[in-house]
Amino acid sequence: MKFNLNLSMAVIASAMVAVSACGGSGNSESASSESTAAAPPPAPIEISLEEKYKDDPVYIKGSELMGQNDCPSCHMLERKIVGPSYADVAAKYETTDENVELLAGKIIAGGVGTWGEIPMPAHPTLSEEDAKSLAQFVLLLKK
């Protein structure tokens, strides 16, 4: 039988690679814990604002009022259409009694300039109580 030096070296090199890839110790527990520790953490599951707040009484009441008025014509929960998304408004204003009053007033009186040149129509027939409920709903929607 003829001895092939190149083939023998290739076999030895392959064996060394295989041993080093397995950790060389034969201890499969340490090899698996090392690979587990190196794995990146799973990405956080992002849920929609609707899913996040669906059981909140402020959300439930606000959603009903939004549906009874023309709000969805210009606003969405998380995406700008004609006016800003509710989430964008919530991000701009802290949730305080003063801001609930301010936003309720803007809902009733309408306005222009805060979010661009497209005016928000007035809602003079909306009660102050309903306007405050709408403002509380919007301010709830923080991401």
Side-chain angles (χ1 to χ4, degrees):
M1 183 174 189
K2 213 174 182 183
F3 181 78
N4 185 337
L5 184 60
N6 289 338
L7 180 61
S8 297
M9 293 300 283
V11 170
I12 292 170
S14 296
M16 291 175 65
V17 168
V19 169
S20 67
C22 293
S25 67
N27 185 350
S28 63
E29 186 176 311
S30 68
S32 67
S33 67
E34 285 176 16
S35 65
T36 303
I45 297 172
E46 197 168 312
I47 60 171
S48 68
L49 289 174
E50 183 176 18
E51 184 66 27
K52 183 176 180 180
Y53 294 110
K54 69 180 180 184
D55 297 325
D56 189 298
V58 171
Y59 180 86
I60 293 167
K61 184 173 183 178
S63 291
E64 290 172 4
L65 287 169
M66 293 286 175
Q68 294 167 3
N69 291 284
D70 64 349
C71 307
S73 301
C74 298
H75 303 281
M76 294 183 74
L77 287 178
E78 298 183 74
R79 197 180 85 204
K80 176 185 178 5
I81 47 177
V82 175
S85 71
Y86 301 133
D88 288 342
V89 176
K92 182 173 182 151
Y93 297 94
E94 283 186 57
T95 304
T96 64
D97 291 340
E98 293 80 17
N99 284 336
V100 168
E101 293 281 338
L102 172 74
L103 293 175
K106 288 182 177 214
I107 292 168
I108 292 171
V112 66
T114 304
W115 295 94
E117 294 307 311
I118 298 174
M120 182 170 123
H123 300 86
T125 60
L126 196 61
S127 72
E128 187 176 336
E129 179 184 339
D130 284 350
K132 284 181 180 179
S133 292
L134 289 169
Q136 290 169 334
F137 164 81
V138 169
L139 293 175
L140 174 70
L141 300 174
K142 301 206 185 292
K143 291 185 180 186

